[in-house]
Amino acid sequence: MRQSQLFTHTVHEPPKGATSANQKLLTMAGFIDQIAAGIYAYLPLGLRVLEKIHAIIREEMNAVGGQELHMPALLPKSSWTPTGRWDSAADVMYKLKDTSDNEYCLGWTHEEVITAIAKRFIHSYRDLPKAVYQIQDKFRNEARPKSGLIRGREFGMKDLYSFHADQADLDAYYPKVLDAYRKIFTRCGLETKLVEAPGGSFTKTFTDEFQVLSDAGEDTIVYCPSCEWARNKELFKEYPMKECPNGHDNLQEAKSIEVGNTFKLGTRFSEAFKLTYHDEAGKSQPVVMASYGIGPGRVMGTIVEVHHDDKGMIWPASVAPFDMHLVRLGDDKDVCKEADRLESTMEEDGWSVLHDDRNDVTVGEKLNDADLIGIPLRIVVSERMHRQKSAEVKMRTEKQPVIVPVKEMGEYLAEYRKKIGENS
């Protein structure tokens, strides 16, 4: 991709009123654009990151037997009346009417919808277990949308729903999804804590949240630094403890960002919709359900909150918009040819390349833009480097570049590929 042809360009000032690092940096670098409070457009660079996160999610959801589908966002009132959430969750819904005065809302979650769909296809114990998921936008009437992609009114959600014959089968499947979630977040460059939390409007039982420690977070968790135990402070207030279940008394508090959550729904939704199956004895039984959510946009915003410095973003290789940022300094004919050749060679080897071929910006602006955009590996071609038959290579995480002879670039990048492969 030639940077001169990129739809967006960088700006040097953060958007007015922005307080979070992800909103500032993603906007300045041209990854997102705010349309209204809590509503963002993903621009070409931002969409590339989002699609990489989606790909990681799909791989791990497919690995635990999830089948992808896509449900509508415009949902009739009748979808919500069996559970009573048309009224009980009215404060988060965007409601509207059509020209015939029929009532609808924009989907803020899909438990009711998927349960009604499942009723058409689950009739026997032979139809269970099943798991389906979607990646789709949700709409919630947030009173105070803030923190960029962390909390919005329209946001992407991966929601997985599983259907089981009994609680034992759900209890056997549930840890597999938790493990898949851990893999997703690790692959995205995030270290998470599995946190006990209240179920809210989804279930009366405790739920599990995946939280990333960050001062930018809206949540507070109480955790044990000596083991894996952690609890949302909201739940901790109801069930205070002086030590963790493993006997450690050095509990700590920290701000955190919720990037995923999982709910054992039991039979709440299946009973409301009369979703039943016939067991081996021919007896009718309610289907046991669970739901599991990840916000890909929130994951993207959290990555920026965790991985940035005073110069810009530092994308993990797994989700970076491009693998390489090839920066050409100057418009010398031979340098241009060398940059073009390097771009072609790298793309033939399977690398995605953002080639800064711009002639109307200074050297300093090019290097600053590269730091702001945050692609993991920067390769600089200049007259000085061309005379040395070399290129300047710098990892975004490193302070100093290294000089790599052009004839050895393929070998260097092969070692780099091996390194990032081991860490993914």
Side-chain angles (χ1 to χ4, degrees):
M1 176 73 190
R2 296 297 175 100
Q3 199 161 340
S4 62
Q5 300 301 310
L6 193 62
F7 178 69
T8 58
H9 58 76
T10 61
V11 295
H12 298 133
E13 296 295 329
K16 185 178 180 180
T19 57
S20 63
N22 81 90
Q23 184 181 5
K24 292 177 182 177
L25 296 175
L26 288 167
T27 303
M28 292 170 65
F31 282 63
I32 63 173
D33 188 62
Q34 184 173 0
I35 306 303
I39 304 172
Y40 291 88
Y42 287 86
L43 305 176
L45 289 176
L47 187 59
R48 291 179 71 95
V49 174
L50 192 64
E51 287 178 340
K52 285 194 172 184
I53 295 171
H54 287 173
I56 290 171
I57 290 172
R58 284 190 171 99
E59 286 181 14
E60 299 300 341
M61 290 298 93
N62 293 344
V64 294
Q67 301 177 53
E68 188 169 5
L69 47 69
H70 190 84
M71 289 178 275
L74 182 64
L75 302 172
K77 179 180 178 180
S78 59
S79 294
W80 306 93
T81 51
T83 58
R85 289 209 288 182
W86 180 262
D87 296 317
S88 64
D91 58 332
V92 301
M93 288 185 179
Y94 285 105
K95 296 183 178 182
L96 61 153
K97 294 182 179 181
D98 64 14
T99 55
S100 300
D101 239 19
N102 297 309
E103 295 183 272
Y104 299 85
C105 78
L106 297 178
W108 62 284
T109 188
H110 279 77
E111 281 81 9
E112 281 86 348
V113 181
I114 193 60
T115 306
I117 293 172
K119 190 175 179 180
R120 292 188 55 209
F121 302 103
I122 295 176
H123 306 289
S124 163
Y125 70 92
R126 296 185 181 88
D127 300 322
L128 297 168
K130 288 290 190 299
V132 292
Y133 72 96
Q134 66 172 349
I135 300 175
Q136 189 225 46
D137 279 1
K138 298 285 193 288
F139 303 84
R140 295 184 187 175
N141 190 8
E142 292 285 353
R144 292 177 296 276
K146 58 181 180 178
S147 303
L149 299 182
I150 303 299
R151 181 170 294 281
R153 288 178 171 148
E154 179 182 354
F155 56 93
M157 176 66 71
K158 184 289 304 172
D159 36 328
L160 169 74
Y161 303 92
S162 63
F163 303 86
H164 307 268
D166 51 38
Q167 190 65 39
D169 190 63
L170 168 58
D171 290 343
Y173 181 72
Y174 191 81
K176 296 178 182 179
V177 180
L178 296 185
D179 187 54
Y181 270 35
R182 292 187 186 94
K183 290 178 181 177
I184 289 167
F185 298 128
T186 298
R187 291 178 64 184
C188 289
L190 295 175
E191 181 179 342
T192 57
K193 290 186 177 295
L194 184 61
V195 178
E196 298 173 355
S201 64
F202 293 92
T203 175
K204 293 181 180 179
T205 61
F206 297 160
T207 63
D208 293 300
E209 296 175 342
F210 285 84
Q211 298 271 4
V212 176
L213 297 185
S214 170
D215 290 337
E218 299 176 325
D219 291 336
T220 300
I221 65 169
V222 179
Y223 70 98
C224 178
S226 301
C227 66
E228 296 298 316
W229 181 87
R231 179 174 287 174
N232 191 296
K233 189 176 180 181
E234 182 181 348
L235 181 60
F236 187 82
K237 289 177 180 178
E238 296 182 35
Y239 303 93
M241 304 167 64
K242 292 185 178 179
E243 60 183 31
C244 80
N246 296 315
H248 305 123
D249 60 0
N250 55 339
L251 302 183
Q252 298 182 14
E253 286 189 10
K255 300 291 289 183
S256 61
I257 303 172
E258 178 190 329
V259 289
N261 48 42
T262 59
F263 305 87
K264 290 184 177 181
L265 301 173
T267 59
R268 173 187 174 185
F269 293 92
S270 56
E271 288 179 351
F273 282 86
K274 297 181 173 56
L275 172 60
T276 61
Y277 72 97
H278 288 96
D279 63 19
E280 292 186 63
K283 185 178 179 181
S284 180
Q285 302 284 0
V287 174
V288 178
M289 295 173 55
S291 65
Y292 320 78
I294 290 177
R298 179 175 284 206
V299 168
M300 180 173 164
T302 303
I303 292 169
V304 177
E305 294 292 341
V306 174
H307 297 287
H308 75 272
D309 58 18
D310 59 352
K311 295 181 179 180
M313 297 173 287
I314 307 173
W315 292 107
S318 60
V319 296
F322 290 90
D323 299 320
M324 312 288 174
H325 201 160
L326 177 62
V327 180
R328 190 196 77 210
L329 303 183
D331 55 2
D332 177 82
K333 183 178 179 180
D334 290 334
V335 173
C336 291
K337 286 183 178 180
E338 181 63 24
D340 291 346
R341 189 193 66 78
L342 271 176
E343 178 186 15
S344 296
T345 299
M346 290 188 291
E347 288 181 342
E348 288 172 3
D349 287 341
W351 299 105
S352 59
V353 182
L354 179 61
H355 180 179
D356 191 346
D357 62 329
R358 296 173 296 171
N359 294 321
D360 57 348
V361 296
T362 67
V363 170
E365 287 176 312
K366 285 194 172 191
L367 298 180
N368 288 338
D369 282 355
D371 283 337
L372 175 61
I373 293 170
I375 293 170
L377 193 66
R378 186 187 76 193
I379 300 175
V380 173
V381 178
S382 64
E383 290 186 45
R384 179 172 65 87
M385 286 292 98
H386 183 64
R387 288 194 296 270
Q388 298 178 22
K389 297 182 179 180
S390 300
E392 182 184 276
V393 181
K394 180 181 178 297
M395 298 288 295
R396 180 62 180 85
T397 54
E398 300 293 335
K399 291 184 178 181
Q400 298 298 325
V402 296
I403 306 302
V404 178
V406 172
K407 65 180 181 180
E408 298 176 12
M409 187 63 70
E411 182 180 348
Y412 179 92
L413 294 180
E415 286 298 314
Y416 173 68
R417 173 172 277 150
K418 180 180 179 180
K419 178 181 178 181
I420 61 176
E422 292 172 350
N423 294 332
S424 64

